[in-house]
Amino acid sequence: EKGIDHSVVKDFKLAKDNELRFEVETNQRVKLVLLDGSAELFGTELVHSRSYIFESGAKIAVFTWFGCSIRLTGKNEAAYVSKDTPMIIYLNTHAACEQMRKTADQEDIRGPRIMVVGPQDVGKSTVCRILLNYSVRMGRKTTLLDLDVGQGGVSIPGTVGALTVERPADPVDGFELKVPLVYHFGHTSPNGNIKLYETLISRLADVFNAKCDYNRLIKHSGCVINTCGWIKGQGYQCLLHAAQSFEADVVIVLDSERLYNDLKRDLPDFVNIILQPKSPGVVERPRDVRRDYRDSKIKEYFYGPRKIYFPHAFDVSFQDVELFKIGAPSLPDSCLPLGVEQEDTHTKLVPVTPGRDLVHHILSLSMAESLDENLIETNVAGFVVVTNVDVDNQVFSVLSPAPRPLPRRYFLIMDTRFIDINK
Ligand code: ATP
């Protein structure tokens, strides 16, 4: 309970269908205890009398269907109780999806493929979490497909991935990330390489379909697809591509009538598109808060939640690895011989010789065992961050969650950088 200001204690009594919202102040921690009644946190039931400790910056809502009392200990910003929540709408959506899962069980067909879309900061990830939690509480094995490269729900930012959820998220630490399937994208917006982004979405869809083919429970449980908040222009095209690739049959549009109308026009009639309000509790995050959040996700990858792990630092010899970036700048048409068409260079693998400019970059270690495999469409084993490059001695230093030796030799370079201030 280090870092909790025990002089600040407040009890809240919540009537049924109410929600307690609070944010943990910077450099503070807050302890939450359910004293009485029942309550849930983004769809996970809270255990009576247990201490839940939230870290600096956490934005929390605790909802109760039947009424409860809660004690908060520690400095928090503006804790308040609201009865204005869309939880009943989300519960109804869950009930409709569960009905589709029952039909899927009976007829051995695919369960609902639910895609959640909307602008930035409308609570897309939170709605995904609630729907996943409710479904696993019914005994389902629902898959989260995270296409939000900006925040990284399944792994670090700059990746897309899939995670089959078997138990409700931990109220503090979120879903157990035991065996996520992760693909390297390298940028924190699809804009970084649209062609690659769409290639990865198609790949994820294929992999998920294959999983459904050999596991009925996974097939009938369906999936929840989290998307980016970029909904204009090419961002919108990416959403259409995702809906088509995954053959989404339910699309939940949060808080954007315009997007809802566009999707109604562009998606086939059998897709069930629903417009739903965002929760008034969702907190807007300015650019710097998003950046800090991204940094904290990366830090958590190396150090674990609450810094419970120690990452390993070691040197890697240039000759033991091969580095690539994805995408080469295309040649201007005037440089091409007459009659030769521009080749698509966006998903081209470009070998890179390590240099000083690699410092602080994150590298994804591909699971590929040889270059005969398509590196771009192969999942990754994990990540390291480059902390130093010694060109004279042909070695670079890394921070890695696992000790030496590296299990594979092919690395993909991310645009994303991480400066380890723990050193
Ligand atoms: P992005 O556009 O970055 O993908 P998003 O739409 O997925 O964002 P979330 O990440 O779900 O939005 O929510 C933004 C923040 O608001 C999160 O920190 C979340 O914990 C918080 N939040 C969500 N719902 C509530 C609520 N009802 N009350 C208080 N805070 C909430």
Side-chain angles (χ1 to χ4, degrees), residues 19 59 61 120-126 148 279 281 285 290:
E19 183 168 279
K59 299 169 180 57
Q120 266 185 2
D121 294 326
V122 288
K124 293 182 294 300
S125 314
T126 308
D148 185 357
S279 167
R285 292 172 293 181
R290 278 174 185 278

Side-chain angles (χ1 to χ4, degrees), residues 254-300:
L254 289 177
D255 198 47
S256 172
E257 207 169 338
R258 161 97 194 264
L259 179 61
Y260 168 77
N261 285 321
D262 288 350
L263 290 170
K264 274 273 194 207
R265 185 193 60 216
D266 294 334
L267 288 179
D269 289 340
F270 60 80
V271 183
N272 202 341
I273 307 167
I274 36 187
L275 179 63
Q276 297 195 340
K278 69 167 185 178
S279 167
V282 180
V283 189
E284 249 183 65
R285 292 172 293 181
R287 251 192 132 89
D288 54 329
V289 176
R290 278 174 185 278
R291 204 191 41 231
D292 289 354
Y293 180 80
R294 278 204 275 272
D295 259 7
S296 68
K297 285 287 292 188
I298 299 169
K299 189 185 272 174
E300 195 177 306

